[in-house]
Amino acid sequence: MAAHLSYGRVNLNILREAARKELREFLDKCSGSKAIVWDEYLTGPFGLIAQYSLLKEHEVEKMFTLKSGRLPSADVKNIIFFVRPRLELMDIIAENVFSEDKLHSSREFHILFVPRRSMLCEQRLKEQGVLGSFINIDEYILDLIPYDGDLLSMEYESAFRECYLENDQTSLYHTAKGLMTLQALYGTIPQIYGKGECARHVANMMLRMKREFAGSQNQILPVFDTLLLLDRNVDLLTPLATQLTYEGLIDEIYGINNGYVKLPPEKFAQKKQGEASKDLPTEPKKLQLNSAEELYAEIRDKNFNAVGAALSKKAKIISAAFEERHNAKTVGEIKQFVSQLPHMQAARSSLANHTSIAELIKDITTSEAFFDNLTVEQEFMTGVDTDKVNTYIEDCIAQKDPLIKILRLVCMQSVCNNGLKQKVFDYYKREILQTYGYEHILTLNNLEKGGLLKPQTSSRNNYPTIRKTLKLWMEDANEQNPNDISYVYSGYAPLSIRLTQVLARPGWRSIEEVLKMLPGPHFEERQQLPAGLHKKRQQGENRTTLVFFLGGVTYAEIAALRFLSQMEDSGMEYIIATTKLINGTTWIKSLMDRPECQTP
Amino acid sequence: MMKSKPDEEDYWNSSKFKAFTFDDEDDEFSRLKESKQAVNSIRRLVEEDDDEDDVEKVSWSGEPVGRKTKTGSFQFSDSLSDSSVRLYAPELRKPKSEYKDYVSDWSPEETVHRMQQGKAVSLEKFRSLQDKLLLLDFSISAHDGNVITAVTLFTITFTVLFRELESRQTALRHFIHYLTETRDQRLLLELLRALGRTEDIALLQYKEHLSIADENKRRDFLKSCLSLPFSPEDSAHVQDHYTLLERQIIIEATDRQAERGGKVEIFQKFPRRASILNMPLITTLYYCCFYHYTESEGTYSSPLNVRQTFRISEKQFFVTALAARAKLKAWVDVDALFTSRNWLGFTRKKSPLGFHRVVDILQKNSAPTQVLQEYVGLVDDAELRISLAQKHKCHDIIINTYRDLKDRQQLLGYRGKVERGSVEERKINELLDNPQIRWKN
């Protein structure tokens, strides 16, 4: 069940259903019992589309992880490989097929490429001499995966690296394809805005693809009024900052993967009354996080400092509801109370979970280390001493704090200073290499190529102008009852979301100067709608904008957009799409060379 | 425009290699000539060792034809033989039923479009250089990396003209990316060299060291990297990397022997937990401060020598030495770090590091209160000093600080926190009774 996908302004369940239908069709193509061999990377994203029950209904009896060597035995008719189109995976498949053939000759092989077939991969299979062994070679176009009621993700982790480091624009092609699918289901989006090189590419591809389909007019009444395409490198600053919303902090500290988080189990030990909890669970506690859970939907986007109050309020409501039982006198009243019990039980266990999570997070946010780190971040964002070597960073290096923490801070300083002074740049570089190992020359060069860390080239630092014009720093951000998006970072208003906000009102023309300071072109395109599909807007009806973040988006940015959607006078509702949900740590990691070699 | 050529189908299907020959009887002879000329005009550079089959070999120099070639020019012929040849022209054969589709005379644009849709295409029909480049340009404008790579590989075999690629940066990037992914290191390096992307080459080559496990081979490899065209800053770092590993190998050999010999006390008392090989520089310095602290500057393992050789900053050196000596509970050495004048040039009890950080490091190495107290007392800021003193239970410092601040109230308050009848309580009482002090409250 994925009812929460249909609650929002746009029913994203349609997209999910379309994806499920296609999956069923493929499975039925391979008739008889089946085993799926999974490219491990894909299991997470697939989990958002289909549970095991769906696969089981279509005779999937076994599932394995793709590994070299021989396939585990399974008494099935079909073996299906679900893989990304990567050459190294083809070699593993070939190995599997070879070692399999000798034992069972009757099993049939199939490949499902996700999200696209690749000629090179098929060529590789051919070279390995196994291409002929496959009955079906198909592709499963899984571009945009519904992640929540207002959120789509391609779960394409390397998109930023590919676009900005390797100049490989394949992810953009998939993006454009995904947007075409979306338009096929939800109507042509009449207005397209964009900022950045990649945004421009995607828009161009979309327009061309539309021309190619010119024959078939889309007759669906458009659900989206506007599409905004934003390059991640237009706003390199935001992901580097520590997110301060509840969901953002869960992601920063524990990492949310495909909608799931794994938490340390201690706080979740189930204590039965009167029973001493002797054996603590050792397996991490795995929780699914999405708006299907009422309480989570309520608190996920709050600043963490407002979560405690919200939880205690909820606790009172739930206790009061349980107390109601004393008032139930008549049979009818008791019956009604009982009928509500399951819902109340669920609310209580949800409350217990989130209280535990909030406790875990609080231990960290109240620590000195967290506070010191945040102080430095805020100094950089407000432009304090960004042109000097920072003592805190220096101390962190001396203490051998995790390298990624150091890189986040140094990159942030660089971004907020429009590049570091050569002397400062060299100093950090030397300290990092001496402390963490010279092989990180590679990583530092990658960060340089991506524009996150660089020596100053011009003497003019335009970050202060950008900060002031877009009001990126708000003193006295109200964390409890926010009146501005800056609450998500306790003062810093994410640049990307400011751009989105200004576009809606008063329009980008008011910030031309700043737009020119940010990288890449900005543009506007219109797509013609067939007559009769123009929306007749009801008085006071909100417009809907799809904001697409090319190269990743953070939970705090999503929270800020949700905040804008909920503002009474905004007149705009936002649906969010991205190549991948990121935070500073996962983002930097994706730019490192062999991060696993990192010295602890 | 349906041309049925059954013979040709068989021909393409039966042999991959023949697809690479330039057949004079071809009906598109005139157009072919152009491409053939282009290929032939490129000098054969390497050909001695492979004449086993009659595959048309293609070699070219990185320079446009006619210009004088530099040394280290671009050589492709050997790379192109055998297995790699097969990679260059994707042959996507479909079942017979799709043949009529397949033979169709698709335009370059249509071909790219069909490739994007995963349908069968025939790239072989694009024979002339002009056609291939047209095809390449259409694929580039489609932005589909899958197609760009496939078309690039196809065009490269035939035209093999890198200067055409150079003016098509996107295709070039995809080709480079492809070579990276297939780990065709040599080809990649040659390509980058021909393109003049020297820093990329240097980094790429340097990266290889990560996959060399044997320390001596790794060292030799790093040494060979020294001549690579890094940026001046990176060049210095790579030099340091090499020097460091070279040294680690020497230290490791010596220390392992000393440890086995069982005659050196420190190795007996504190057996080494891991080898020092491939550890970062600061870790190595820590190791040297731990096991070789008193060595004279002449040895490789002397901390002073390491510091000098690698230009380690004063602060880093200080922090590392402090942590290492504290770990050994060598409090005399710790003390000397702050006082000795001869090599660090400090005046008494001065530190390049805030004393609160010193306390932090000492405390992490479980220094006794006595030692901690001495350094807590040196923290300049009174408030910070008191909070540190409270954290580490240095009563004397707290009492003295309140006395210096003439803060009677605080002192009274603190009396409630110390043990009844303790030395501290007596001291507080003495102070409170002292008529000489002019309390501020």
Side-chain angles (χ1 to χ4, degrees), chain A residues 85-88 116-120 122-124 126-127 131 139 161-162 166-174 177 201 204-205 208-209 212-213 368 391 394-400 422 425-427 429-431 433-442 445 449 593-594 597 599, chain B residues 16 83 86-87 89-94 109 113 115-118 141-147 149-150 153 170 173-174 177-178 181-183 199-200 203-204 206-207 209-211 231 233-234 237-238 240-241 244 280-283 310-313 315-316 319 353 357 360 364 391:
Chain A
R86 300 181 75 118
L87 292 175
E88 70 268 20
R116 290 259 145 36
R117 288 173 75 144
S118 142
M119 294 172 236
L120 289 173
E122 288 171 46
Q123 182 68 22
R124 182 69 149 241
K126 184 170 186 174
E127 267 168 53
L131 189 66
E139 63 184 9
R161 185 187 172 110
E162 286 176 16
E166 287 152 9
N167 284 300
D168 178 345
Q169 292 163 345
T170 308
S171 65
L172 302 182
Y173 173 73
H174 290 178
K177 277 283 195 189
H201 277 310
N204 286 347
M205 277 187 270
R208 203 184 47 239
M209 287 172 189
E212 284 164 8
F213 289 121
E368 213 173 304
T391 329
E394 216 180 18
D395 287 350
C396 290
I397 295 176
Q399 271 167 209
K400 275 207 141 196
Q422 189 70 45
F425 179 77
D426 291 343
Y427 179 80
K429 210 169 161 177
R430 201 185 68 213
E431 293 282 295
L433 296 177
Q434 288 187 345
T435 307
Y436 298 93
Y438 289 105
E439 64 274 18
H440 294 292
I441 294 174
L442 298 163
N445 270 284
K449 268 189 208 152
D593 258 304
R594 315 237 308 197
C597 297
T599 37
Chain B
K16 324 181 180 81
S83 72
R86 272 178 268 139
L87 274 175
E91 288 177 90
L92 290 178
R93 290 286 181 263
K94 287 280 173 169
E109 193 171 10
H113 195 62
M115 285 172 87
Q116 286 185 288
Q117 294 169 332
S141 62
H143 294 280
D144 182 348
N146 181 21
V147 176
T149 310
L153 295 181
T170 310
R173 286 190 300 252
H174 279 285
H177 186 63
Y178 168 78
E181 208 172 289
T182 51
R183 306 214 170 81
E199 269 183 52
D200 285 348
L203 288 167
L204 194 69
Y206 168 75
K207 187 177 177 176
H209 85 265
L210 290 168
S211 49
S231 69
E233 307 87 62
D234 284 349
H237 295 312
V238 174
D240 282 352
H241 191 173
L244 178 63
L281 174 61
I282 297 299
T283 313
F310 297 95
R311 306 168 308 282
I312 294 170
S313 71
K315 211 168 174 177
Q316 275 277 29
V319 172
L353 198 66
R357 291 265 300 118
D360 198 37
K364 273 187 190 145
K391 199 163 138 194

Side-chain angles (χ1 to χ4, degrees), chain A residues 186-308:
Chain A
Y186 299 97
T188 303
I189 307 175
Q191 246 179 338
I192 305 176
Y193 291 93
K195 170 71 186 165
E197 223 44 86
C198 294
R200 184 68 264 186
H201 277 310
V202 170
N204 286 347
M205 277 187 270
M206 285 173 69
L207 296 172
R208 203 184 47 239
M209 287 172 189
K210 185 163 186 270
R211 276 201 303 279
E212 284 164 8
F213 289 121
S216 57
Q217 284 273 5
N218 186 334
Q219 291 301 332
I220 298 171
L221 192 70
V223 173
F224 298 104
D225 300 281
T226 311
L227 166 66
L228 170 59
L229 295 160
L230 282 178
D231 273 37
R232 185 72 269 173
N233 84 335
V234 169
D235 172 12
L236 295 170
L237 173 55
T238 303
L240 293 169
T242 303
Q243 309 171 69
L244 296 176
T245 57
Y246 181 52
E247 189 168 39
L249 277 167
I250 296 178
D251 188 40
E252 294 275 350
I253 299 169
Y254 299 108
I256 301 175
N257 268 316
N258 304 118
Y260 285 89
V261 67
K262 283 183 186 165
L263 298 157
E266 299 82 30
K267 296 246 181 192
F268 297 91
Q270 295 233 329
K271 256 185 274 172
K272 289 202 183 105
Q273 280 188 328
E275 191 184 303
S277 57
K278 273 179 214 153
D279 31 23
L280 281 170
T282 46
E283 284 279 295
K285 169 102 174 166
K286 197 173 173 191
L287 281 177
Q288 190 172 21
L289 298 173
N290 61 42
S291 55
E293 189 184 350
E294 194 187 315
L295 175 62
Y296 187 62
E298 228 170 273
I299 59 173
R300 68 198 301 185
D301 299 319
K302 287 188 187 301
N303 184 293
F304 185 66
N305 283 335
V307 168

Side-chain angles (χ1 to χ4, degrees), chain A residues 351-369:
Chain A
L351 179 69
N353 279 341
H354 287 291
T355 309
S356 300
I357 299 175
E359 274 172 7
L360 284 168
I361 293 177
K362 198 162 180 218
D363 287 347
I364 288 161
T365 54
T366 50
S367 71
E368 213 173 304

Side-chain angles (χ1 to χ4, degrees), chain A residues 19 22-27 29-30 36-39 42 46 55 66 79-86 89-90 93 109-118 122 125 134-142:
Chain A
E22 211 173 313
L23 182 59
R24 281 191 217 109
E25 281 169 7
F26 174 78
L27 290 173
K29 237 192 232 176
C30 324
I36 296 179
V37 183
W38 286 96
D39 170 356
L42 290 175
F46 261 85
L55 302 176
L66 183 63
I79 301 276
I80 313 177
F81 294 93
F82 278 34
V83 288
R84 287 167 297 159
R86 300 181 75 118
L89 299 181
M90 297 308 110
I93 292 179
F109 292 103
H110 315 267
I111 296 188
L112 189 61
F113 282 112
V114 186
R116 290 259 145 36
R117 288 173 75 144
S118 142
E122 288 171 46
L125 290 173
F134 294 96
I135 311 281
N136 280 303
I137 296 183
D138 232 313
E139 63 184 9
Y140 184 62
I141 305 173
L142 193 63

Side-chain angles (χ1 to χ4, degrees), chain A residues 282-428:
Chain A
T282 46
E283 284 279 295
K285 169 102 174 166
K286 197 173 173 191
L287 281 177
Q288 190 172 21
L289 298 173
N290 61 42
S291 55
E293 189 184 350
E294 194 187 315
L295 175 62
Y296 187 62
E298 228 170 273
I299 59 173
R300 68 198 301 185
D301 299 319
K302 287 188 187 301
N303 184 293
F304 185 66
N305 283 335
V307 168
L311 286 175
S312 84
K313 198 171 127 201
K314 193 75 179 180
K316 280 183 195 133
I317 294 171
I318 292 175
S319 329
F322 274 99
E323 285 306 308
E324 280 294 305
R325 69 179 186 276
H326 300 303
N327 301 333
K329 298 268 157 47
T330 68
V331 175
E333 280 167 354
I334 292 171
K335 216 173 159 188
Q336 204 199 337
F337 178 81
V338 171
S339 74
Q340 282 169 357
L341 259 181
H343 179 73
M344 286 160 59
Q345 303 278 27
R348 191 165 66 175
S349 96
S350 160
L351 179 69
N353 279 341
H354 287 291
T355 309
S356 300
I357 299 175
E359 274 172 7
L360 284 168
I361 293 177
K362 198 162 180 218
D363 287 347
I364 288 161
T365 54
T366 50
S367 71
E368 213 173 304
F370 187 88
F371 178 80
D372 290 346
N373 186 71
L374 200 62
T375 308
V376 173
E377 283 186 9
Q378 300 198 339
E379 278 173 17
F380 288 158
M381 289 191 285
T382 47
V384 177
D385 285 344
T386 49
D387 56 349
K388 297 191 187 81
V389 170
N390 182 286
T391 329
Y392 176 72
I393 296 182
E394 216 180 18
D395 287 350
C396 290
I397 295 176
Q399 271 167 209
K400 275 207 141 196
D401 280 356
L403 176 58
I404 290 185
K405 173 186 174 178
I406 309 293
L407 294 176
R408 269 178 88 157
L409 284 171
V410 173
C411 288
M412 189 176 210
Q413 185 176 352
S414 171
V415 172
C416 291
N417 199 55
N418 199 17
L420 295 167
K421 280 192 173 160
Q422 189 70 45
K423 255 175 94 179
V424 177
F425 179 77
D426 291 343
Y427 179 80
Y428 281 141

